[in-house]
Amino acid sequence: MADRIVEGNATEVPEIPETLEKVLVFALEEAKEKMLQGADLIPFTALVVKENLFLETHPGDSAEECFEGAKRTVEGARGADAYAFCYDGFVDTDAGTVDAVIAEGGIPGQDKGAAIGYLYSLEGEKLNFESDPAYIGEAPNFMEGLKDAESYTENDIEEKYLDDEFDKTSDAEEKVSE
């Protein structure tokens, strides 16, 4: 997933809304755990709707297909408070190109989103992750065209986000709503 450019300016870390920050960090932790267990990281979105968190994978034959799948899911998520789109990529640093698990996301109505990530290295078979996420930069916001979540009635929200049968994670709900 290296075909994405996120504009970075490491000297200025903007204020990230609390719900967005929580969902971004949650997504990074989920990705990190999968990778540490030896699983492939399929790009995924984490979408906060009311008191729930919904996870959806976005496999594709190219980075562009994965991003387009995530964008389609998120841009129509009326009633959502925030989202994270997480994938394995890399960032260019002063020390060179570094592998990173990246989560980018946004909130409804904002022009830009934010991207954070865990930098990591591979030593033999062992993955070594930095202990804290790093701010990477501004990112596109797939929710730019949406209104605040409270502006939507339950009739406006897709039924799958109101239905308890949809794939959501209860552990995630607790972590994001804390």
Side-chain angles (χ1 to χ4, degrees):
M1 292 289 313
D3 299 308
R4 182 77 159 179
I5 296 175
V6 173
E7 298 298 324
N9 181 355
T11 60
E12 286 186 42
V13 178
E15 183 76 25
I16 297 175
E18 185 178 0
T19 302
L20 176 57
E21 182 178 350
K22 286 181 178 181
V23 75
L24 289 170
V25 171
F26 171 81
L28 289 178
E29 289 294 328
E30 282 289 303
K32 179 177 154 183
E33 285 304 311
K34 286 181 188 219
M35 292 176 71
L36 288 172
Q37 293 172 5
D40 288 335
L41 179 58
I42 298 170
F44 68 94
T45 50
L47 189 63
V48 180
V49 181
K50 297 194 178 277
E51 301 299 319
N52 299 313
L53 183 68
F54 298 90
L55 301 179
E56 185 173 339
T57 58
H58 302 285
D61 291 331
S62 69
E64 186 175 284
E65 282 182 24
C66 297
F67 285 102
E68 285 303 314
K71 183 176 182 181
R72 275 191 307 276
T73 294
V74 172
E75 70 186 357
R78 293 178 308 273
D81 293 302
Y83 80 96
F85 175 51
C86 191
Y87 53 92
D88 188 10
F90 62 85
V91 294
D92 290 324
T93 68
D94 292 339
T97 301
V98 179
D99 289 318
V101 174
I102 300 168
E104 59 181 75
I107 60 173
Q110 298 295 310
D111 292 341
K112 295 287 183 182
I116 65 173
Y118 277 130
L119 304 179
Y120 71 89
S121 61
L122 182 62
E123 295 175 17
E125 296 290 315
K126 184 173 176 8
L127 286 172
N128 295 311
F129 285 89
E130 294 286 324
S131 58
D132 294 317
Y135 176 72
I136 295 173
E138 285 186 342
N141 181 5
F142 298 157
M143 288 186 155
E144 180 179 10
L146 296 175
K147 298 181 282 186
D148 288 338
E150 295 81 37
S151 300
Y152 296 99
T153 67
E154 286 201 7
N155 291 334
D156 296 325
I157 300 171
E158 278 189 64
E159 196 171 314
K160 69 180 180 180
Y161 298 126
L162 299 172
D163 186 5
D164 288 337
E165 300 300 314
F166 189 74
D167 181 24
K168 63 181 179 184
T169 60
S170 57
D171 290 347
E173 294 172 36
E174 293 172 18
K175 291 178 184 175
V176 172
S177 62
E178 289 177 346

